[in-house]
């Protein structure tokens, strides 16, 4: 069964260091999302791509976070410099380009990258 | 006020009980409603998906949407210990619009 792949699964980094996460969506999925989930809370959208274009990055802290999806397939999320408050699960999700608009709403998630900033 | 409100629980029930999980929302433009299940240290997995108002049933799970009240529910019949997880409601205006999540309700089913 097709899955969203994320790496690494776990990352420990020191404050002020740079960190990067990678996501490979389900093949053929045009929409890719990066969510951040703080322990005990629901996922919050950081950035949404439609193919290679950013369609929503209103909640992305752009002074330290960047995201790219250069060829409209896999994506990288970077944090530089990392802060203690960035400790969270970073989830990647994708949804398809179906024959109906509704199909683009069903987001499928990867296992996430758990980031700990020390 | 958050767009989507969900009681975080925890909710503890005996095996075999009927579980009711609920969310309220404020954005009347939401048309697509989802329930995700998230096991500890895992990513969310899509459980149920409903468009507009009405009911949808899948095995032991029933999703209900009442758009007039801006209220959605997930019912789990004959709950099992394997149902122990956090249940996240999520909703969207559809198309390529973002999916907005509730905070999740942690459920524990006791054998």
């Amino acid at each position: 069964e097709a899955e969203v792949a994320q790496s690494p699964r776990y990352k420990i980094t020191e404050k002020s260091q740079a960190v990067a996460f990678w996501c490979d969506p389900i093949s053929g999925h045009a929409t890719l999302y990066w969510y951040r989930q703080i322990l005990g809370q629901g996922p919050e959208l950081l950035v949404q791509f439609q193919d290679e274009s950013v369609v929503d990055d209103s909640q992305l802290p752009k002074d330290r976070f960047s995201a790219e999806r250069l060829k409209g397939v896999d994506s990288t999320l970077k944090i530089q410099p990392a802060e203690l408050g960035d400790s969270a699960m970073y989830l990647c999700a994708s949804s398809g380009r179906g024959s109906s608009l509704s199909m683009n709403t069903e987001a499928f998630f990867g296992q996430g990258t758990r980031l700990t900033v020390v | 006020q958050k767009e989507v409100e969900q009681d975080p629980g925890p909710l503890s029930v005996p095996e075999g009980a009927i579980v009711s999980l609920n969310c309220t929302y404020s954005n009347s433009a939401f048309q697509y409603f989802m329930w995700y299940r998230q096991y500890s240290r895992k990513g969310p997995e899509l459980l149920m998906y409903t468009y507009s108002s009405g009911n949808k049933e899948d095995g032991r799970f029933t999703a209900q949407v009442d758009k007039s009240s801006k209220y959605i529910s997930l019912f789990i019949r004959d709950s099992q210990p394997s149902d122990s997880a956090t249940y996240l409601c999520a909703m969207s205006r559809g198309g390529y619009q973002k999916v907005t999540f509730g905070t999740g309700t942690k459920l524990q089913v006791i054998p």
Side-chain angles (χ1 to χ4, degrees):
Chain A
E1 183 177 300
E3 293 183 340
V4 176
Q6 287 190 249
S7 67
R9 286 292 309 278
Y10 304 94
K11 181 70 178 179
I12 300 174
T13 191
E14 292 184 346
K15 187 175 61 172
S16 78
Q17 295 298 303
V19 64
F21 315 128
W22 176 80
C23 171
D24 190 11
I26 293 172
S27 179
H29 278 193
T31 307
L32 184 148
Y33 312 82
W34 283 102
Y35 282 85
R36 176 170 61 185
Q37 186 176 25
I38 295 169
L39 193 63
Q41 297 184 20
E44 292 184 305
L45 182 70
L46 291 174
V47 61
Q48 177 181 343
F49 290 91
Q50 191 62 32
D51 298 308
E52 66 275 8
S53 300
V54 173
V55 296
D56 188 342
D57 64 355
S58 56
Q59 300 303 309
L60 187 71
K62 298 181 187 62
D63 57 335
R64 298 185 300 108
F65 286 64
S66 64
E68 60 183 18
R69 193 185 184 198
L70 293 176
K71 296 182 180 179
V73 181
D74 59 338
S75 175
T76 302
L77 178 70
K78 296 179 181 177
I79 308 175
Q80 183 175 20
E83 296 182 352
L84 295 176
D86 296 332
S87 295
M89 174 86 89
Y90 290 82
L91 294 162
C92 180
S94 69
S95 61
R97 193 200 307 272
S99 56
S100 67
L101 289 178
S102 65
M103 292 187 67
N104 295 296
T105 300
E106 297 179 70
F108 296 89
F109 284 82
Q111 294 299 308
T113 295
R114 182 170 294 279
L115 173 68
T116 302
V117 182
V118 298
Chain B
Q1 182 187 10
K2 289 186 176 182
E3 278 191 298
V4 181
E5 299 278 359
Q6 185 176 8
D7 186 336
L11 181 62
S12 185
V13 301
E15 183 176 353
I18 296 175
V19 176
S20 173
L21 303 166
N22 311 294
C23 286
T24 59
Y25 62 95
S26 58
N27 189 343
S28 58
F30 287 142
Q31 295 191 76
Y32 297 91
F33 304 91
M34 291 146 281
W35 286 95
Y36 285 81
R37 178 173 61 194
Q38 186 174 26
Y39 292 112
S40 181
R41 301 183 186 278
K42 301 287 188 181
E45 57 176 324
L46 183 65
L47 199 58
M48 298 282 286
Y49 162 77
T50 308
Y51 169 68
S52 193
S53 287
N55 295 357
K56 187 173 184 178
E57 188 173 321
D58 184 1
R60 297 185 295 111
F61 298 89
T62 300
Q64 286 186 353
V65 175
D66 182 347
K67 290 189 71 178
S68 62
S69 302
K70 298 191 181 66
Y71 188 87
I72 71 169
S73 301
L74 177 70
F75 297 95
I76 307 174
R77 292 184 299 280
D78 187 24
S79 56
Q80 302 295 309
S82 59
D83 295 328
S84 298
T86 295
Y87 289 80
L88 297 152
C89 64
M91 43 200 81
S92 169
R93 289 184 286 167
Y96 303 114
Q97 302 299 313
K98 71 177 182 181
V99 178
T100 302
F101 285 83
T103 54
T105 299
K106 188 171 184 178
L107 171 67
Q108 183 179 18
V109 180
I110 302 169

